[in-house]
Amino acid sequence: MLNFNDESVLNSWNNNASAWINTIENDEIESRKLVTNQAIIDVINSYSPNSILDIGCGEGWLTRDLTIKGIEAWGVDGVDELIKKAQLMTSGRFLVASYEDIVNSNKIDRQFDAAVCNFSLLGKETVDNLIHSIPGLLKNNQLLFIQTLHPVMGCGESAYVDGWREELWNSFNSEFKQAAPWYFRKLETWINLLKSAGFSILECREPIHPVTKKPASIIFIAAHV
């Protein structure tokens, strides 16, 4: 069993922030270019929120894009270097806030029409707690968008059971300093987590990679009820 925990997720991203920024600037992730970036933009636009909180925004590309499209977008991330990079952009508002900060502090002192977590739900307890806290950040029980690895594809050759996995970054040119842990959830587990936090799943989309013809991700659209 891999000896990972939620703290190790944040530590790895702090150590790998520069390599991640280089990877994004060099446009190295094919699935983002071909499928998943546009997929999350399209689904958000189809629900027309006026304001949105981008949780785990990384270097800020999605926050920036949504702001340019006329949505009031805030981006938050627990990695200081990623937020500093995001703040160099001219669009969007950015704030350093870990998931623990979101759950336990008043760092975010307003509510939004929607929240989005785009490939940013990587931990275990921190993610469980975050999902349960998101309704308090939403106006009138509005929307949550989650894009994550499709469980069937993300499982790879491993057993289809919840548990810690690691990303070795072998397919990227940038020099990542250490493996990045992430917690794998079955489809059933995702659905049960949302349900336990009082969310109802309105829609589920499976963006298809145009080359492999297999799911590049899964997107949940949920409303708090």
Side-chain angles (χ1 to χ4, degrees):
M1 179 180 293
L2 296 172
N3 187 26
F4 291 138
N5 56 37
D6 291 87
E7 184 178 357
S8 64
V9 175
L10 190 57
N11 287 341
S12 72
W13 277 91
N14 275 302
N15 289 329
N16 289 326
S18 294
W20 177 256
I21 290 168
N22 290 336
T23 295
I24 299 305
E25 289 183 338
N26 295 331
D27 219 9
E28 293 181 29
I29 306 176
E30 182 189 51
S31 60
R32 287 173 58 112
K33 292 186 293 182
L34 296 181
V35 193
T36 62
N37 281 8
Q38 193 60 48
I40 194 64
I41 291 169
D42 288 345
V43 74
I44 292 171
N45 285 340
S46 70
Y47 283 84
S48 303
N50 292 315
S51 61
I52 192 165
L53 179 64
D54 182 5
I55 300 174
C57 67
E59 79 298 331
W61 79 269
L62 180 58
T63 306
R64 176 189 60 194
D65 193 278
L66 295 173
T67 301
I68 291 171
K69 289 178 169 56
I71 300 172
E72 181 188 2
W74 287 28
V76 296
D77 200 285
V79 179
D80 184 69
E81 185 174 348
L82 294 177
I83 290 296
K84 286 180 178 177
K85 177 65 176 179
Q87 288 170 336
L88 297 176
M89 302 176 181
T90 58
S91 301
R93 178 170 177 174
F94 297 96
L95 179 70
V96 177
S98 68
Y99 293 171
E100 291 90 342
D101 290 334
I102 295 172
V103 172
N104 298 318
S105 76
N106 296 318
K107 270 201 167 184
I108 302 172
D109 57 0
R110 59 153 297 172
Q111 292 183 311
F112 300 83
D113 292 334
V116 57
C117 303
N118 187 54
F119 292 109
S120 60
L121 299 180
L122 303 175
K124 188 178 185 291
E125 286 86 1
T126 53
V127 169
D128 292 346
N129 294 336
L130 175 70
I131 295 299
H132 281 84
S133 74
I134 286 176
L137 299 170
L138 301 178
K139 300 176 184 176
N140 302 318
N141 299 329
Q142 292 200 37
L143 298 167
L144 171 61
F145 304 98
I146 295 174
Q147 180 167 221
T148 189
L149 286 176
H150 195 290
V152 174
M153 301 304 299
C155 183
E157 297 301 318
S158 301
Y160 191 69
V161 295
D162 296 345
W164 286 101
R165 311 287 172 89
E166 62 181 344
E167 170 59 63
L168 299 176
W169 310 109
N170 292 334
S171 61
F172 301 135
N173 295 322
S174 301
E175 294 186 2
F176 287 84
K177 294 181 179 179
Q178 67 182 83
W182 61 284
Y183 192 78
F184 172 82
R185 288 174 171 82
K186 300 182 298 181
L187 179 59
E188 174 185 356
T189 307
W190 280 115
I191 292 170
N192 288 339
L193 174 57
L194 288 167
K195 183 178 178 181
S196 71
F199 284 100
S200 174
I201 297 175
L202 304 178
E203 186 181 352
C204 182
R205 300 188 187 183
E206 298 172 290
I208 302 300
H209 194 290
V211 177
T212 66
K213 306 301 181 184
K214 295 180 178 180
S217 66
I218 190 166
I219 301 177
F220 301 101
I221 304 96
H224 194 253
V225 295

